[in-house]
Amino acid sequence: MVQRPGSADQNGVEACTELVESDPPRDRLRIAGLTNRAILYRRAGQLGLAQQDCAGALAYHDAGAATATSCAAVYLSSGKPGLALRVLTESEVPASENRAQYFHNLALAHHDLGQYALAYEAIEHALDAEPGFAPTVELKALYRVEEAN
């Protein structure tokens, strides 16, 4: 299914909301529901709602690296690279599945904060995790490395 820009998939939002409001409450389900709903809201351009869901998901001490990675993307889209950086650095680095995306988001946060050496280092980590990761390859193309004399 193709999603139109500016519209969250209502069925997806409703399914996530069911998880968030489940009774009895189950933390892991709520974290997943909040995180996934934040992703849907971000895709729809509803960044305020996405940020609210990220705040809710990250309030759980065991939210995990996948939630941190997704919420960092929300904060980056919202023009809050400092918050994205904090969320990522307070999280563990994912073992495998989201590792390239984690480091890519870290690179974007450093880049947006003007910390270009740290951004480049994160770019290298992202490409080590997944060589050819398209978003990071595009980001790396913006950098020029000069040799120290």
Side-chain angles (χ1 to χ4, degrees):
M1 173 190 332
V2 176
Q3 185 170 332
R4 292 183 312 258
S7 68
D9 176 54
Q10 193 57 38
N11 291 334
V13 169
E14 289 172 5
C16 291
T17 300
E18 285 180 32
L19 289 177
V20 171
E21 296 174 354
S22 65
D23 190 31
R26 295 185 179 105
D27 288 354
R28 300 301 301 161
L29 290 178
R30 285 205 174 154
I31 293 168
L34 288 165
T35 303
N36 289 328
R37 194 169 65 180
I39 292 166
L40 291 171
Y41 284 144
R42 175 180 171 248
R43 288 181 185 160
Q46 297 174 314
L47 298 175
L49 292 172
Q51 289 177 62
Q52 288 175 0
D53 279 352
C54 281
L58 292 167
Y60 290 90
H61 71 279
D62 60 345
T67 293
T69 300
S70 295
C71 287
V74 166
Y75 296 134
L76 287 164
S77 295
S78 302
K80 298 180 178 181
L83 187 52
L85 182 62
R86 190 185 89 211
V87 165
L88 291 169
T89 57
E90 290 177 356
S91 166
E92 72 234 15
V93 176
S96 58
E97 185 179 331
N98 295 322
R99 194 173 183 88
Q101 187 65 54
Y102 170 92
F103 282 113
H104 178 76
N105 290 350
L106 188 63
L108 288 174
H110 283 302
H111 178 86
D112 289 354
L113 292 168
Q115 302 166 341
Y116 303 118
L118 293 172
Y120 193 81
E121 184 179 315
I123 287 169
E124 291 295 316
H125 287 299
L127 293 174
D128 286 344
E130 187 177 325
F133 186 61
T136 305
V137 169
E138 291 174 18
L139 181 60
K140 185 175 182 179
L142 299 175
Y143 282 77
R144 183 182 78 214
V145 178
E146 296 181 5
E147 297 294 323
N149 291 333

